[in-house]
Amino acid sequence: MTSFRIGRQGEPAPAKTIRFSFDGKDVTGLEGDTIASALLANDIAIVGRSFKYHRPRGVWGAGVEEPNAIVDIDMPSAVRNARATTTPALDGMVVRSVNAHPTAATDRHAFLDRFARFIPSAFYYKTFMWPDWHWFEPNIRKMAGLGILDPTAISVERADQVNEECDLLVIGGGPAGLFAARTASEKGKKVIICDDGFHFGGSLLHRQANIDGGDGPAWIAATLNVLRDRGVQLLARTTAFGLYDHGLVALNEIRPGKASSRLWRVRPTNVLLATGAIERPLPFANNDLPGVMSAEAGLSYLRRHGIAVGRRVVLATNNGVGVETSRELADAGIEVTLVDYRSGRRLMVAEGSKRVAGVKLSDGTRVAADAVLVSGGFTPTLHLFGQAKGKLRWDDDLLTFVAGDPVPRLSAGGAAAGSFGLTGVFESTARALASFGLTPRAMPKIVGRDTDYGIVAAWPEPNMSGRVWIDLQHDVTTKDIELAARENFVSVEHLKRYTTLGMATDQGKTSNLNGLALMAQLTEKAIPEVGTTTYRPPFTPVPFTSLAGVTSGSLMNPPRRLVLENEHFAAGANLREYGGWLRPAWYGAEPEATAINREVRQARDSVALFDASPLGKIEVLGPQAAEFMDFVYYNTMSTLKAGRCRYGFMLSESGIVYDDGVLVRLEENRFIVSCSSSHVPGVYALLEEWRQDRFDRKRLFIHNTTADTATLTVSGPKSRALLEAVGLGIDLGDKNLPHMATAWGSFGDDTVRISRVSFTGDRSYEISIRADRAKHLWKTLRRRGEAFNATLLGLEALMVLRAEKGFIVIGKDSDGMTRPMDLGASAPLAKKTAEFIGKRSLFTEEAQRPDRNQLVGLEVVDGTQPFAIGSHGVESTPAGKRSLGYVTSSYFSATLNRPIALGLIERGAARHGEEIDVQHLGQIRRARLVPPCVFDPSGDRLNG
Amino acid sequence: MQLFPCPFCGPRSESEFHFGGDFGNLRPEGSDVSASEWSAYLHLRANPKGSSSEVWMHMTCGELFRMDRNTVDNTVNSSAELEDTHR
Ligand SMILES: [Zn+2]
């Protein structure tokens, strides 16, 4: 082959020259080139190595169907496995071939090809089974693969995402699509038209035509002007890659000069598929040699880029469109030898090493050639029709699948509807538009008759001599399909997975039908009986950046932020995420463990300030509120007096503990559900669900005030003294505000709610205030606190304080099996008469089983190291070791100066005093089972 | 991405909704609910192929409603406010 640039007829002005590198070689192109057209213009025949055998491969096509010309781009931005046929060539680009070591032209793994007969389908899996596939996999993966990912090359440019709707989405901007958009827009419809090429026009950009008195380009320009005037949205370089539920169509738009694409989510009323058709290869020996190309692509490179793919071209075809292509090439002055299968002569072998040098025909004649263009017929592009669950129908005249029974709101026109001549293209488009109730004002006037497609069968056949390639990207030959048939992988889905036919990045756009046709012959079936594989999105690969949009990096799952975050930062807080909230873990520059121990000691000795704002504050109001609270809590809540608080569990209907927390009864008909911070959305949904299911919506209301209100906790022996120094406008004495009471106070002009509840075991006050006024209260607490040796308390130290008291964290000290009785709360089950969520489940055999895992304290018997969380209690039995449950919480307690732990252990509540083995990573330690509370068990400090 | 019709807010993206269970899976009431009856309420699902009546919650407005849809082709046939049974 000697491809070269001959220039385009009637080109107005010479295009600007661009330079880029391919495998380290300088390449010169023109502005408007694709990478593939520039490589052809420089007579670079080998653009890549095949996936499995490392065969040299050249450019096959000129569009999205390309199986061979897959490249990695390093500059200007990293793109992996880009199709050279659809990627614009840019000045300064750095391009590499894929799967070639070191370059496509000189690949050191090419020796694999000489062993090809020893590497049939599934060879790797069958051969490298022993001793373990995973020993061999890394090297095999390195040899067989495509682009190399660079994990450090992270795109900093986030992709745009656009949501849009329209009356008609036209997919494909060739003659059919442009005509459809024009027709719909003249009826005043809102129309979007997209095309995956740089320019609208489709086949009219390279085939000669006379429409409405002008040539193709003139008709394109006139039509585009009309569309622009009517406000039609024109999206070039945009691929409709997926059709999803409820009529959602996803488009990916490549934007010049941008590293990221733009994702469109379009909800059209109707979709017109004007997606054209893809040319099939012909089966003959060595049909993968560089220089063997799609005839349509050869014509496209000539007319769009002014490139002749060879000086002496053989054009082999089994259809009239291919014959027309040879005529157009000859008109441009290229020497063409036509091999027309319809007159009986066939192409048998392509000859040459590394690139094609000639062909041998069925009548024995040899023809020298530097390019072989082939047209094995056209396959309508119906991927989106398939994705819409449309069924394909075999057409005996066209020898291909076409759209079968119509799918609502979706129609195909043009080549996608099996019309391969211009008159037919417009007629089938008009029929498709009619199904949407749209009639064109006038049909385009065509001069000249449509080419007679007149295709004859030229399928791959069993026992063809030589190596006849079906899937160029995945190196599947006729022999692989024959092997699959012999081994009984005859179902189309098995065939695909066994041979990997159609599984490459091109998804078999050029190969699937030829593969099915061969399998049909091998199994003596008709092609439609073999069937097709399922069409799934995406039609072409879509960058993950497009799909992610802005939801990546720090916006992937944004944490909730405290209103006092800046105050915490200023105080040296180290923030971590807890249950979706970014919260102070500990304060100060000391090492984590030192800081936590200091905070714990100060909290026990003097007073601690803690930001508890994420704590749930869901208000329940109305005359049915008390009855409702009885139903949603395990504990009886209706007996709670106004101004008092009660601790309780919420269960799921399965009787599993879902949440715990304090319920505040502010007034007769007003409660505040103070659920755990991470459960607020879940508890809110649970409350709404039961409210709407079994209560009077006009007499019961739920309002989530969690985000409106900040809660600051003051805990420790000096907490009351500190608050009296601050001044909250009420008597904080134990008589007026005892433990588990709540009252209104004030801070400056603001009303605050003060609850005496404790998660530390020390006297504690939770002060709730309007979130936007919390800063002043926090600053005042800190300033006044200095005199009391107050500490700021992070969440880690709070976890130690609560574990010393045996206070649990649901989801940490409980699991998906834990019932309230397992946590020591059996009284409500025995006493409560009112119905509540999960009640019946607590009376099942499983819930009443005596050998359940129960909450227990675990004292370290052997030394001073805390147990690892997740360590299992174990016991030896004749059958081997058996788990007795596990450690759920484990800390070093600065208060007790020794390690402490909580766990869920079999029959634990009844076994206090016993010792058990605790196992972690093969190491056995000893633990004594003790009550969960190991500090101030009498609770004196609550009032201390 | 499916569009679900909230009877209160109109068609909204499926990601705003939470599945609430089979419509008509009523909670067995009373003190003598058998284990099998309770177990059926908790665990046995119709999982129909074809038309299915379900309860969904629209998370953004907090309302539960009934939605009838087809589990084969994902078409939504209707959605309606739940009737107030405890008035
Ligand atoms: Zn709603």
Side-chain angles (χ1 to χ4, degrees):
Chain A
M1 170 163 140
T2 36
S3 53
F4 57 97
R5 189 160 336 244
I6 59 174
R8 296 201 304 163
Q9 287 172 336
E11 192 142 32
K16 222 178 100 193
T17 300
I18 55 160
R19 287 185 175 80
F20 65 97
S21 84
F22 175 72
D23 278 349
K25 256 172 62 178
D26 286 337
V27 178
T28 309
L30 296 178
E31 213 163 50
D33 265 333
T34 60
I35 293 173
S37 70
L39 294 176
L40 287 170
N42 287 263
D43 194 27
I44 294 172
I46 305 173
V47 300
R49 290 279 169 168
S50 69
F51 186 77
K52 192 163 139 192
Y53 301 127
H54 287 251
R55 298 262 296 183
R57 291 280 162 78
V59 175
W60 155 266
V64 294
E65 75 282 10
E66 177 60 37
N68 291 338
I70 306 293
V71 294
D72 279 354
I73 300 168
D74 291 335
M75 294 277 279
S77 53
V79 182
R80 293 296 168 257
N81 297 332
R83 275 182 314 274
T85 51
T86 57
T87 309
L90 303 175
D91 202 42
M93 224 176 201
V94 177
V95 182
R96 286 183 290 113
S97 55
V98 297
N99 200 28
H101 313 273
T103 67
T106 59
D107 173 28
R108 83 175 95 86
H109 291 305
F111 72 89
L112 278 172
D113 188 43
R114 266 170 262 146
F115 297 101
R117 66 195 172 94
F118 306 114
I119 318 180
S121 285
F123 165 82
Y124 287 111
Y125 292 113
K126 285 174 180 168
T127 310
F128 295 103
M129 285 271 284
W130 186 91
D132 184 347
W133 156 254
H134 297 101
W135 287 17
F136 303 100
E137 191 182 355
N139 277 320
I140 293 171
R141 290 254 181 260
K142 204 172 161 189
M143 284 194 294
L146 295 172
I148 296 159
L149 274 183
D150 176 1
T152 63
I154 291 162
S155 172
V156 288
E157 206 173 319
R158 289 198 165 113
D160 279 0
Q161 296 187 330
V162 182
N163 296 311
E164 187 55 284
E165 50 184 22
C166 60
D167 298 316
L168 181 68
L169 172 66
V170 180
I171 300 170
L178 291 173
F179 173 54
R182 195 179 81 182
T183 304
S185 65
E186 74 197 13
K187 311 286 176 203
K189 299 289 182 194
K190 183 176 174 185
V191 181
I192 299 175
I193 179 168
C194 67
D195 191 276
D196 55 15
F198 303 165
H199 305 288
F200 284 94
S203 63
L204 292 177
L205 292 171
H206 59 263
R207 284 198 178 273
Q208 283 169 346
N210 186 323
I211 318 169
D212 291 339
D215 63 5
W219 186 82
I220 295 167
T223 308
L224 287 175
N225 274 337
V226 170
L227 298 186
R228 279 190 205 100
D229 284 352
R230 291 178 184 156
V232 170
Q233 175 105 48
L234 298 158
L235 297 173
R237 304 170 309 277
T238 303
T239 307
F241 63 81
L243 200 147
Y244 301 89
D245 284 320
H246 296 185
L248 177 73
V249 187
L251 320 178
N252 192 60
E253 179 193 5
I254 293 165
R255 293 180 299 162
K258 296 271 188 183
S260 63
S261 328
R262 177 188 280 153
L263 184 87
W264 291 74
R265 295 191 200 92
V266 185
R267 289 205 187 261
T269 308
N270 293 308
V271 178
L272 189 112
L273 291 181
T275 41
I278 291 171
E279 196 166 45
R280 293 190 294 271
L282 282 169
F284 50 87
N286 302 332
N287 57 346
D288 70 327
L289 269 181
V292 178
M293 274 179 82
S294 148
E296 189 80 12
L299 183 61
S300 171
Y301 285 116
L302 176 71
R303 289 268 163 70
R304 296 189 192 201
H305 301 285
I307 293 163
V309 295
R311 294 184 192 281
R312 302 183 64 195
V313 175
V314 167
L315 195 147
T317 180
N318 62 345
N319 66 80
V321 173
V323 173
E324 180 59 35
T325 305
S326 83
R327 203 170 296 137
E328 292 212 26
L329 289 167
D331 286 351
I334 295 169
E335 185 188 327
V336 185
T337 307
L338 176 66
V339 180
D340 188 348
Y341 280 37
R342 299 179 304 175
S343 57
R345 210 158 61 137
R346 295 191 169 213
L347 202 165
M348 301 306 286
V349 185
E351 294 175 325
S353 79
K354 289 203 168 181
R355 60 198 288 177
V356 73
V359 295
K360 203 170 114 188
L361 304 181
S362 52
D363 59 7
T365 51
R366 282 193 143 88
V367 184
D370 54 4
V372 175
L373 296 181
V374 297
S375 175
F378 292 84
T379 309
T381 307
L382 290 168
H383 297 66
L384 295 175
F385 179 78
Q387 288 177 24
K389 310 237 160 52
K391 293 269 179 293
L392 300 181
R393 176 178 63 78
W394 180 256
D395 188 305
D396 273 326
D397 295 326
L398 297 173
L399 295 184
T400 187
F401 287 104
V402 294
D405 290 339
V407 167
R409 298 160 54 189
L410 182 74
S411 270
S419 310
F420 302 132
L422 211 45
T423 311
V425 161
F426 289 125
E427 282 169 1
S428 65
T429 305
R431 280 196 297 277
L433 288 168
S435 71
F436 305 144
L438 297 168
T439 317
R441 232 179 260 159
M443 292 297 288
K445 286 187 184 59
I446 315 281
V447 176
R449 265 195 23 234
D450 273 6
T451 313
D452 170 27
Y453 183 53
I455 186 170
V456 298
W459 303 118
E461 282 160 20
N463 304 315
M464 290 180 98
S465 62
R467 292 163 79 190
V468 182
W469 304 83
I470 302 288
D471 185 325
L472 289 171
Q473 192 173 128
H474 260 180
D475 272 351
V476 179
T477 65
T478 52
K479 289 185 174 54
D480 293 312
I481 293 172
E482 288 165 34
L483 177 70
R486 276 204 304 281
E487 301 201 344
N488 205 29
F489 291 99
V490 292
S491 126
V492 54
E493 299 287 357
H494 283 152
L495 169 68
K496 169 177 168 175
R497 281 154 187 85
Y498 189 70
T499 61
T500 75
L501 170 71
M503 286 175 73
T505 63
D506 65 345
Q507 291 284 289
K509 291 186 176 67
T510 56
S511 60
N512 280 343
L513 194 48
N514 281 347
L516 294 178
L518 176 56
M519 184 52 85
Q521 293 173 73
L522 290 164
T523 53
E524 293 176 353
K525 284 180 182 165
I527 295 172
E529 288 176 72
V530 178
T532 60
T533 51
T534 311
Y535 289 104
R536 292 188 182 89
F539 173 65
T540 52
V542 180
F544 280 127
T545 48
S546 271
L547 301 174
V550 297
T551 27
S552 61
S554 59
L555 297 178
M556 176 85 172
N557 190 10
R560 302 191 66 182
R561 319 289 283 257
L562 297 168
V563 71
L564 294 177
E565 189 180 278
N566 286 339
E567 304 305 310
H568 296 311
F569 271 129
N574 301 280
L575 267 56
R576 278 187 191 161
E577 196 184 318
Y578 297 92
W581 286 84
L582 215 47
R583 307 181 66 173
W586 74 92
Y587 291 85
E590 300 160 281
E592 177 176 348
T594 315
I596 293 168
N597 289 342
R598 177 187 53 73
E599 289 174 17
V600 166
R601 279 192 211 101
Q602 266 178 280
R604 290 288 184 222
D605 291 346
S606 52
V607 58
L609 309 179
F610 176 74
D611 185 349
S613 300
L615 204 60
K617 285 162 286 255
I618 302 173
E619 294 209 20
V620 177
L621 307 105
Q624 282 194 330
E627 186 193 340
F628 179 65
M629 298 299 22
D630 267 351
F631 182 73
V632 296
Y633 275 98
Y634 169 62
N635 314 69
T636 301
M637 293 302 192
S638 53
T639 53
L640 187 61
K641 290 189 174 62
R644 289 288 186 273
C645 316
R646 187 169 289 167
Y647 175 80
F649 290 117
M650 265 184 218
L651 314 183
S652 69
E653 278 282 61
S654 308
I656 307 301
V657 179
Y658 175 65
D659 191 59
D660 69 339
V662 166
L663 180 70
V664 179
R665 188 169 201 170
L666 276 177
E667 295 157 22
E668 176 68 16
N669 292 331
R670 186 177 177 199
F671 293 82
I672 297 180
V673 175
S674 192
C675 55
S676 22
S677 307
S678 55
H679 281 162
V680 176
V683 168
Y684 177 72
L686 180 143
L687 296 179
E688 267 301 339
E689 182 181 346
W690 289 109
R691 165 187 172 257
Q692 293 178 39
D693 187 70
R694 48 192 294 142
F695 291 86
D696 185 344
R697 293 191 212 181
K698 294 190 177 68
R699 301 176 70 214
L700 180 66
F701 301 93
I702 297 167
H703 180 55
N704 184 2
T705 66
T706 306
D708 316 343
T709 315
T711 301
L712 308 179
T713 302
V714 181
S715 169
K718 294 181 182 161
S719 54
R720 178 178 161 189
L722 168 56
L723 289 180
E724 279 168 353
V726 168
L728 294 174
I730 59 163
D731 174 8
L732 295 170
D734 291 351
K735 207 157 171 210
N736 187 49
L737 190 67
H739 181 57
M740 297 308 264
T742 196
W744 295 103
S746 61
F747 176 70
D749 295 337
D750 291 309
T751 303
V752 296
R753 184 167 55 78
I754 306 151
S755 292
R756 260 194 79 182
V757 294
S758 174
F759 198 40
T760 61
D762 278 313
R763 170 188 291 273
S764 297
Y765 299 85
E766 287 180 2
I767 308 160
S768 294
I769 187 169
R770 271 174 58 172
D772 58 341
R773 305 294 181 94
K775 185 171 153 185
H776 183 46
L777 175 58
W778 180 251
K779 285 187 147 173
T780 307
L781 287 168
R782 285 194 62 195
R783 198 179 63 244
R784 293 283 183 177
E786 281 170 21
F788 298 92
N789 187 32
T791 182
L792 302 182
L793 187 69
L795 212 75
E796 293 299 325
L798 180 72
M799 284 292 116
V800 178
L801 294 169
R802 65 91 199 174
E804 291 171 346
K805 288 296 298 177
F807 293 155
I808 55 167
V809 173
I810 299 299
K812 179 170 173 59
D813 301 301
S814 72
D815 60 24
M817 303 276 282
T818 307
R819 272 82 172 175
M821 303 87 84
D822 305 330
L823 300 172
S826 301
L829 187 61
K831 291 185 192 147
K832 186 173 173 181
T833 49
E835 182 62 22
F836 59 89
I837 298 170
K839 183 178 184 179
R840 178 63 184 83
S841 294
L842 299 182
F843 292 99
T844 57
E845 267 176 57
E846 169 63 20
Q848 295 287 336
R849 195 159 48 83
D851 59 347
R852 298 185 56 80
N853 290 354
Q854 295 167 325
L855 181 72
V856 70
L858 292 148
E859 197 174 289
V860 175
V861 178
D862 57 350
T864 56
Q865 276 301 309
F867 294 129
I869 294 172
S871 304
H872 272 255
V874 292
E875 111 181 326
S876 293
T877 71
K881 263 185 219 161
R882 190 175 78 83
S883 170
L884 298 171
Y886 60 99
V887 175
T888 58
S889 287
S890 176
Y891 307 94
F892 177 79
S893 160
T895 311
L896 304 170
N897 198 28
R898 64 173 173 87
I900 57 167
L902 296 172
L904 288 169
I905 299 293
E906 193 176 289
R907 301 176 198 264
R911 294 169 66 186
H912 292 172
E914 284 182 36
E915 284 190 17
I916 59 165
D917 283 344
V918 170
Q919 177 172 326
H920 178 66
L921 299 176
Q923 195 196 353
I924 301 278
R925 300 186 58 189
R926 289 293 280 175
R928 183 179 299 119
L929 304 182
V930 295
C933 175
V934 291
F935 178 68
D936 185 33
S938 59
D940 295 338
R941 292 178 65 100
L942 284 171
N943 295 310
Chain B
M1 184 86 76
Q2 305 181 66
L3 287 178
F4 289 160
C6 171
F8 307 93
C9 310
R12 307 287 305 174
S13 162
E14 65 173 288
S15 56
E16 293 181 6
F17 294 84
H18 186 75
F19 181 59
D22 289 351
F23 181 84
N25 180 31
L26 296 181
R27 189 178 198 266
E29 301 287 343
S31 53
D32 54 351
V33 176
S34 72
S36 60
E37 202 182 340
W38 186 253
S39 161
Y41 160 67
L42 285 183
H43 306 298
L44 291 190
R45 294 294 170 264
N47 196 21
K49 181 179 182 182
S51 68
S52 176
S53 293
E54 298 162 354
V55 174
W56 286 78
M57 181 185 262
H58 187 205
M59 301 301 283
T60 47
C61 74
E63 293 288 338
L64 290 155
F65 61 96
R66 173 184 175 166
M67 183 158 73
D68 288 7
R69 55 182 210 102
N70 188 302
T71 58
V72 175
D73 59 14
N74 285 345
T75 50
V76 176
N77 301 314
S78 65
S79 71
E81 206 172 326
L82 290 176
E83 279 167 36
D84 220 336
T85 48
H86 290 77
R87 201 167 297 240

